[in-house]
Amino acid sequence: MAIEINEKFEIAAPLDAVWRFVMDPAKVVTCMPGAELVDKIDDRNYIGQVKVKLGAISTSYKGNVQFAQVDAAAHSIQLVGEGKEPSGGTAKGTVDIRLSSAQAGKTEMVIEARVDLTGRVM
């Protein structure tokens, strides 16, 4: 099963402040309910876990996330991750984030995410 999320919104903060925020996994993980940063492998690779509830089914995934592409000049990032849940299901996905300056000192954020799930949540 594939899940796609495409969002575009403004944040009431300047571009540089938002860029620093999205480059800090310990801060970003607080934006996703049920997610937790478990360990830092290096500056681009992390181990995390997330608890997910889809309807009557609850499960958790533990795995790796990587800052696969970072373009500071363009304020864009691609995150790639994959995880497993205890009964053998998997989650693999990518998240593309693009930031740009908006009016009145705000920042526009565009997020495009795709996650492929296998296992009991199907």
Side-chain angles (χ1 to χ4, degrees), residues 48-50 52 59-63 83-85 89-91 117-118 121:
Q49 60 188 25
V50 63
V52 178
T59 191
S60 62
Y61 294 88
K62 185 174 182 180
K84 292 186 179 183
E85 53 107 357
T90 63
L117 301 171
T118 66
V121 295

Side-chain angles (χ1 to χ4, degrees), residues 8-76:
K8 179 179 177 180
F9 52 91
E10 284 189 355
I11 301 167
L15 178 61
D16 290 338
V18 177
W19 178 253
R20 285 190 304 274
F21 185 92
V22 299
M23 290 301 296
D24 185 344
K27 291 181 180 175
V28 172
V29 74
T30 65
C31 298
M32 185 175 176
E36 178 183 357
L37 187 62
V38 175
D39 198 9
K40 176 180 176 179
I41 298 170
D42 58 37
D43 286 340
R44 287 199 174 213
N45 295 280
Y46 299 83
I47 298 173
Q49 60 188 25
V50 63
K51 294 177 184 172
V52 178
K53 181 171 175 141
L54 296 170
I57 298 172
S58 294
T59 191
S60 62
Y61 294 88
K62 185 174 182 180
N64 302 314
V65 65
Q66 175 187 43
F67 282 75
Q69 297 176 16
V70 177
D71 185 340
H75 296 99
S76 67

